[in-house]
Amino acid sequence: MSEPVTLNRRRVLNLGIAGAGAAALTPALAAAQTPDPLIVEKQEWTQYLGEGVNAKPYGVPSKFEKEVVRREVEWLTASRQSSVSFTPLHALDGIITPNGLCFVRHHGGEAEIDPAKHRFMINGMVDKPLVFTMEDVKRMPGRVNRVYFLECAANSGMEWRGAQLNGCQFTHGMIHNVVYTGVPLKAFLNEAGVSPKGKWVLAEGADASAMTRSIPLEKAMDDCLVAWAMNGEALRPEQGYPLRLVVPGWEGNMWVKWLRRVEVGDQPWAQREETSKYTDLLADGRSRQHTFLMDAKSVVTNPSPQAPLKSKGPNVLSGVAWSGRGTIKRVDVSMDGGRNWRTARIEGPNFPRAMARFYVDFDWNGQELMLQSRAMDDSGYVQPTKDELRKYRGSNSIYHNNGIQTWLVRPDGSAENVEVS
Ligand SMILES: Nc1nc2c(c(=O)[nH]1)N[C@H]1C(S)=C(S)[C@@H](COP(=O)(O)O)O[C@H]1N2
Ligand SMILES: [Mo]
């Protein structure tokens, strides 16, 4: 740590925060400057009345946060109807992604669905096919609340052949982590009565792309949810309002939005999204199919290219980690490109198949840093380096790039996406 800042007790009293006790404030302010009461007292917003209650019936962030928005990568945006926006991970904290900042990926535009007219059907190899209204869906017994990350399998897909995009929003922002409210898919399948021949289900969306994915029945009966709420309110239209499938720990593409149908069958359907897309070309020329699981991964969100270091002395490194296999057990951080590692502090709720937040309190004297983070989960899986990953996967892949990310932090505090080998 740098030299502790000496606090003049009288000046603290002048600030009007003496209630907390000057002595108790000293450690928390170790990274701050000596307060100047004159400046504090002149702040203009103490001079006039603020906006009245309910001026904004639906609250929005402060205008000073207007840069904190979803962003696109221009060369990835051939058409807005089949595109992706990215979560501003560098500007968020804690573990929950705010609804308005959750990245959006869709293949046929955002469906606008009247919930009164929406129907959810279970059909195929079942005793009795069933059709549910949204009201019926919400009357199902066994409602649950669960926090899960959703990561598009193409997250970090642009980085296979080397460092590309400057910012964790773009390299890692095809992920969000919210609390879902819904009912286990199993309850609907049991109600319809799955035939003993049933081995797979096909989930289908009601959007123009009619997104369809095959999911093993075992997973469907395990932890999949039929969800209508995220973070306590109705799903946002772009996230599948009024109903979406939640497929914990598995690739985002399977989380069918605007969910209208689940069909039971005895084999996978070989839809577009599980044949020509979402399969992985390997180094030896063969292709992997049905790579559903999202492996353990992490990224340092601060500092990062969009969030440079601004001050020497005490700083807080922050990041997120997640694993489709289970719970994040440990995150190690390196500041010298992977030579030395220290264990980060995982802070806050840490649920299986959800994002975990980590911190390292560190002191920066202006030296160059090569920041990396490495996640480990409770299955024993350790996040690989990009070189380790390429040995088996080659570099012609798009999906499932969970290699360790490196940010170079320069003496002026600016940061850049680099690779070390
Ligand atoms: N109906 C439907 N569901 C869909 C898609 C789609 O285009 N249509 N895109 C999928 C893909 S590729 C991903 S990564 C996730 C993205 O979810 P999000 O928009 O909530 O981030 O939704 C999946 N579900
Ligand atoms: Mo995706």
Side-chain angles (χ1 to χ4, degrees):
M1 299 291 272
S2 64
E3 263 193 280
V5 176
T6 30
L7 266 185
N8 177 313
R9 186 171 162 78
R10 231 173 86 204
R11 293 188 129 187
V12 171
L13 289 173
N14 283 343
L15 280 170
I17 51 171
L25 282 172
T26 310
L29 287 177
Q33 285 148 27
T34 311
D36 184 339
L38 287 178
I39 289 179
V40 173
E41 279 161 19
K42 269 194 228 150
Q43 303 287 41
E44 59 179 279
W45 36 84
T46 64
Q47 310 296 316
Y48 52 81
L49 281 173
E51 211 167 51
V53 136
N54 223 22
K56 303 177 196 97
Y58 196 103
V60 292
S62 159
K63 66 178 182 185
F64 299 104
E65 300 294 319
K66 66 175 190 302
E67 294 301 313
V68 182
V69 288
R70 298 188 277 230
R71 292 182 191 280
E72 294 160 84
V73 172
E74 216 178 316
W75 54 266
L76 274 175
T77 310
S79 137
R80 284 244 154 70
Q81 277 69 42
S82 180
S83 191
V84 61
S85 64
F86 296 83
T87 304
L89 290 176
H90 63 290
L92 302 179
D93 214 327
I95 65 162
I96 296 295
T97 317
N99 285 344
L101 295 175
C102 287
F103 89 97
V104 178
R105 168 84 176 107
H106 51 52
H107 298 70
E110 178 187 308
E112 190 183 86
I113 296 180
D114 176 352
K117 293 184 191 153
H118 187 69
R119 297 292 179 269
F120 172 52
M121 179 162 86
I122 306 274
N123 72 330
M125 294 179 168
V126 292
D127 298 339
K128 45 175 189 333
L130 297 171
V131 174
F132 296 81
T133 63
M134 280 305 296
E135 286 238 349
D136 297 337
V137 167
K138 292 180 181 174
R139 288 193 298 125
M140 285 291 282
R143 187 183 301 188
V144 297
N145 293 295
R146 297 280 184 275
V147 180
Y148 292 121
F149 75 83
L150 179 167
E151 184 185 17
C152 175
N155 201 19
S156 315
M158 294 78 85
E159 306 285 313
W160 274 105
R161 297 179 193 186
Q164 276 282 329
L165 296 167
N166 259 314
C168 61
Q169 176 163 23
F170 308 112
T171 54
H172 291 74
M174 282 194 237
I175 187 164
H176 51 64
N177 191 68
V178 304
V179 50
Y180 293 97
T181 304
V183 171
L185 174 57
K186 180 183 180 176
F188 296 91
L189 291 169
N190 284 342
E191 189 85 4
V194 174
S195 144
K197 281 189 273 169
K199 293 283 174 288
W200 288 77
V201 302
L202 182 77
E204 182 185 71
D207 54 331
S209 77
M211 264 275 316
T212 37
R213 275 299 295 257
S214 307
I215 301 168
L217 182 68
E218 206 181 15
K219 178 72 172 174
M221 296 298 253
D222 179 15
D223 56 0
C224 289
L225 303 180
V226 174
W228 58 84
M230 59 195 284
N231 291 338
E233 62 179 0
L235 291 170
R236 290 289 168 89
E238 58 269 47
Q239 257 75 42
Y241 180 87
L243 206 58
R244 105 172 288 170
L245 190 63
V246 171
V247 190
W250 286 19
E251 58 188 19
N253 187 260
M254 308 175 86
W255 298 49
V256 171
K257 306 195 272 191
W258 310 291
L259 181 68
R260 74 164 170 195
R261 195 167 71 89
V262 170
E263 180 181 336
V264 179
D266 56 2
Q267 56 188 1
W269 279 256
Q271 297 290 321
R272 171 185 184 268
E273 305 288 299
E274 51 209 30
T275 52
S276 86
K277 307 293 173 195
Y278 296 96
T279 47
D280 313 313
L281 186 57
L282 299 179
D284 64 8
R286 289 180 309 149
S287 210
R288 305 191 304 181
Q289 193 184 20
H290 296 160
T291 47
F292 305 135
L293 190 72
M294 300 307 293
D295 278 320
K297 187 166 167 180
S298 66
V299 67
V300 172
T301 56
N302 307 80
S304 63
Q306 297 158 288
L309 275 180
K310 296 214 170 102
S311 321
K312 290 180 189 169
N315 275 286
V316 180
L317 175 148
S318 175
V320 281
W322 60 93
S323 173
R325 293 171 187 265
T327 309
I328 291 296
K329 261 275 162 304
R330 195 171 118 192
V331 179
D332 289 342
V333 167
S334 174
M335 301 211 167
D336 56 9
R339 274 184 213 98
N340 297 287
W341 296 88
R342 69 177 99 172
T343 300
R345 194 159 56 86
I346 294 174
E347 167 50 42
N350 185 11
F351 301 111
R353 294 167 181 173
M355 252 189 198
R357 172 64 58 177
F358 62 86
Y359 298 114
V360 173
D361 303 315
F362 74 107
D363 207 53
W364 187 51
N365 62 14
Q367 78 270 41
E368 192 174 278
L369 306 172
M370 296 264 242
L371 299 179
Q372 298 186 332
S373 63
R374 181 177 63 193
M376 285 158 254
D377 65 26
D378 60 356
S379 78
Y381 182 95
V382 181
Q383 184 183 359
T385 65
K386 291 188 177 172
D387 282 344
E388 282 166 354
L389 205 54
R390 285 191 195 105
K391 266 184 220 147
Y392 167 58
R393 299 281 308 280
S395 55
N396 288 323
S397 259
I398 298 170
Y399 310 106
H400 297 281
N401 182 352
N402 68 322
I404 290 173
Q405 173 66 44
T406 311
W407 305 126
L408 167 71
V409 180
R410 297 195 198 83
D412 67 358
S414 65
E416 193 186 334
N417 181 4
V418 299
E419 257 195 50
V420 289
S421 47

